[in-house]
Amino acid sequence: MLQRDYTTSQLDVLEAEAIHIMREVAAEFERPCLLFSGGKDSIVMLRLAEKAFWPAAIPFPLMHVDTGHNFKEVIEFRDRRSVELGARLIVASVQDSIDQGRVVEETGRRASRNRLQTTTLLDAIEEHEFDAVFGGARRDEEKARAKERVFSFRDDFGQWDPKNQRPELWSLYNARIRKGEHIRVFPLSNWTELDVWDYIRREGIEIPSIYFAHTRKVFERDGMLLPDSEVVQRGDDEPLFEAVVRYRTVGDMTCTGAVQSPAATVEEIIEEIAATRITERGATRADDRSSEAAMEDRKREGYF
């Protein structure tokens, strides 16, 4: 007699949960959008959105908060992928916020536009009247994100208050908001970095070349390898050298470090991540090497 295996894999469960969340948002909100930077987490979210609404088009626009200091490989991928999908891409520019006097650019060797993204993001949400914003944050990244709900309520100032978050029982989500408020939605909350890469392998998803091993000129600062770039200020005591590196996460060049790695395929990356004991953000993001209290403050300001 033919026996059938009805067991569901971990990736199938995570995929089904994320697709359910996306469909729930599409049904409950009037103007959702998906934050798409061209990084691996947002690429996975985009694939999930494709599956959630196939054969129809993705029913909401994509948005990227562009600091102007992003890696060109990632920006090229972002633009090409959005065209391939026929999706509307909104680019909210930090440079525009600086030019309009909304934010003041930092100066000095450690200057970064990363924190300035908050104002640009909130202005874009207000301008386009978005009431739900998909983000790729995962609870395994660091402690401030580990406390996050799937539906994260933000007040009319875009701020996060832990006392105003709603209970989430089973897969029931509270989508009620007043005008001016919005919800940040995190479909990948229960995923890990390893889950993301396993899904990329299973689905055969294309990702930017910067995630794979390549030779690049870098310099060391605080134990991190920062790229040689006109937007990254390097001191005389920080000599350049060539190294075989890859990026575990991508973002603003001024605060995103590379890791020395020979991993040139998805399979090799999965083996590498399975053996590491350092989180991707702890290893590669200078802006996340702050105290838990500092990260909480940034979250309350509306940073993510």
Side-chain angles (χ1 to χ4, degrees):
M1 182 178 179
L2 179 64
Q3 292 186 342
R4 296 179 179 175
D5 184 3
Y6 292 102
T7 57
T8 304
S9 72
Q10 178 183 354
L11 283 183
D12 287 336
V13 171
L14 291 172
E15 179 187 67
E17 178 188 51
I19 287 175
H20 166 71
I21 291 166
M22 288 188 163
R23 289 172 175 168
E24 186 78 5
V25 169
E28 293 284 348
F29 293 92
E30 293 182 6
R31 290 174 175 253
C33 81
L34 187 149
L35 294 179
F36 180 63
S37 65
K40 68 181 188 308
D41 298 311
S42 63
I43 292 171
V44 166
M45 274 206 306
L46 197 57
R47 171 55 62 88
L48 292 166
E50 285 184 82
K51 285 192 167 188
F53 305 106
W54 182 264
I58 297 173
F60 39 75
L62 315 179
M63 181 167 71
H64 180 214
V65 181
D66 189 354
T67 66
H69 293 170
N70 298 93
F71 293 94
K72 62 180 179 61
E73 299 95 330
V74 179
I75 296 301
E76 289 170 358
F77 181 91
R78 177 203 71 184
D79 294 341
R80 175 168 57 82
R81 191 73 186 106
S82 58
V83 169
E84 288 173 352
L85 289 175
R88 176 187 171 206
L89 174 65
I90 299 168
V91 178
S93 170
V94 172
Q95 184 62 55
D96 288 347
S97 297
I98 294 171
D99 294 342
Q100 295 163 10
R102 294 284 294 146
V103 294
V104 177
E105 186 156 23
E106 298 176 4
T107 59
R109 190 161 71 172
R110 296 177 182 271
S112 174
R113 291 184 174 183
N114 204 49
R115 289 192 68 124
L116 306 185
Q117 293 180 92
T118 301
T119 299
T120 307
L121 171 62
L122 295 179
D123 286 349
I125 291 172
E126 182 177 6
E127 177 186 351
H128 297 282
E129 299 183 338
F130 292 133
D131 51 4
V133 180
F134 288 105
R138 306 187 318 269
R139 288 173 178 153
D140 73 320
E141 291 181 287
E142 39 85 13
K143 292 181 180 179
R145 295 178 190 250
K147 303 174 182 179
E148 192 58 272
R149 299 282 200 273
V150 174
F151 274 36
S152 177
F153 172 75
R154 307 300 167 103
D155 63 20
D156 50 1
F157 294 102
Q159 296 175 322
W160 176 83
D161 183 348
K163 295 180 180 179
N164 281 339
Q165 301 308 306
R166 288 89 179 267
E168 291 183 348
L169 306 176
W170 303 287
S171 57
L172 303 177
Y173 303 107
N174 186 341
R176 292 186 179 181
I177 57 172
R178 298 184 180 93
K179 187 173 180 58
E181 300 170 340
H182 72 276
I183 299 288
R184 303 280 177 90
V185 185
F186 303 113
L188 305 184
S189 289
N190 294 325
W191 297 52
T192 65
E193 183 186 9
L194 191 57
D195 292 327
V196 169
W197 281 106
D198 279 335
Y199 192 75
I200 289 171
R201 175 175 60 179
R202 191 185 82 171
E203 298 291 309
I205 300 173
E206 181 187 0
I207 57 173
S209 60
I210 198 170
Y211 281 107
F212 301 105
H214 59 282
T215 301
R216 181 182 290 264
K217 286 186 177 181
V218 295
F219 65 92
E220 186 172 348
R221 176 183 293 168
D222 300 333
M224 294 175 54
L225 300 178
L226 295 179
D228 178 30
S229 169
E230 61 182 13
V231 303
V232 182
Q233 297 188 38
R234 179 173 58 88
D236 295 334
D237 58 341
E238 297 172 324
L240 280 176
F241 59 93
E242 281 194 349
V244 177
V245 300
R246 74 174 192 87
Y247 285 86
R248 288 178 67 182
T249 185
V250 296
D252 191 289
M253 282 191 284
T254 59
C255 60
T256 304
V259 294
Q260 289 187 300
S261 167
T265 66
V266 172
E267 289 73 17
E268 290 173 349
I269 290 173
I270 289 172
E271 290 180 10
E272 183 179 271
I273 293 171
T276 190
R277 292 296 177 265
I278 302 175
T279 66
E280 61 181 296
R281 299 187 77 86
T284 63
R285 291 299 292 267
D287 57 322
D288 284 350
R289 291 186 170 189
S290 50
S291 68
E292 181 183 353
M295 291 301 295
E296 284 288 338
D297 289 341
R298 294 174 65 192
K299 187 173 175 182
R300 289 172 188 268
E301 293 168 3
Y303 178 67
F304 58 77

